[in-house]
Amino acid sequence: DDVVQYLYTTLSSIPGILLIAASVLLFQVYIDLNPDFFSVGLQKADARFLALCFILGVTSWSSLCRLIRAETLKISQLGYVQAAHAFGVSHRRILTRHILPNVASALIVQLSLRFPQIIGLETSLSFLGLGIQPPLADWGGMVKENKDGLIYGKSAALLPAMAIAALSISVNLVADWILTRTSSLKGG
């Protein structure tokens, strides 16, 4: 617990966008210094994509971890959990029967809120040239290619933005459906 708390406190103290940009640039230097590993351009693009996914995952878990830890500590002090401990119920059973079901709704809400932020961050990084690179396609690259169209009144750059909005709305609707479905199961 102390190690995880130290890790997410340290990670939260570093500005996220700077950490992500520095990590992406460091990985790009690694790719440039090791051309034997990435002989084909597509291998470089794939490696950079996987590195970006890893970096976004590492930098975005701290707030979620802090919330889940706080909820778990709160729930572990409730009477029915204390009673389960007193009756000798195993820690695994307490986690699966009492803690996880009560933390799941907070987890779903946080994931549905964080998902559009991560997509926006990746799109912004790609627009700036730090994200996914050709030959792989992504929404930030599409906006970058069509940015002149915005100046001249063409709407090609708006299509990726509309796709991002549609995906974000879809994720939020699915999360709302899951939350209403699970809350109706708990109540009934």
Side-chain angles (χ1 to χ4, degrees), residues 93-124:
R93 181 127 173 112
I94 290 172
L95 276 172
T96 57
R97 290 284 288 174
H98 300 298
I99 306 246
L100 286 177
N102 288 307
V103 171
S105 61
L107 179 66
I108 291 169
V109 168
Q110 283 299 310
L111 289 175
S112 68
L113 291 174
R114 190 73 178 131
F115 185 79
Q117 292 173 346
I118 291 175
I119 289 175
L121 184 58
E122 186 280 323
T123 303
S124 301

Side-chain angles (χ1 to χ4, degrees), residues 32-110:
D32 293 341
L33 292 176
N34 296 298
D36 301 339
F37 295 139
F38 311 102
S39 59
V40 180
L42 193 57
Q43 288 176 335
K44 289 181 185 178
D46 286 343
R48 192 171 172 139
F49 172 70
L50 290 175
L52 182 63
C53 290
F54 178 76
I55 292 164
L56 288 173
V58 166
T59 57
S60 64
W61 68 272
S62 61
S63 61
L64 181 63
C65 183
R66 181 175 291 192
L67 174 74
I68 298 303
R69 181 181 178 276
E71 285 292 314
T72 302
L73 290 174
K74 181 180 84 172
I75 292 168
S76 69
Q77 299 303 313
L78 295 176
Y80 63 91
V81 176
Q82 295 294 323
H85 276 295
F87 284 118
V89 176
S90 70
H91 290 293
R92 174 179 262 184
R93 181 127 173 112
I94 290 172
L95 276 172
T96 57
R97 290 284 288 174
H98 300 298
I99 306 246
L100 286 177
N102 288 307
V103 171
S105 61
L107 179 66
I108 291 169
V109 168
Q110 283 299 310

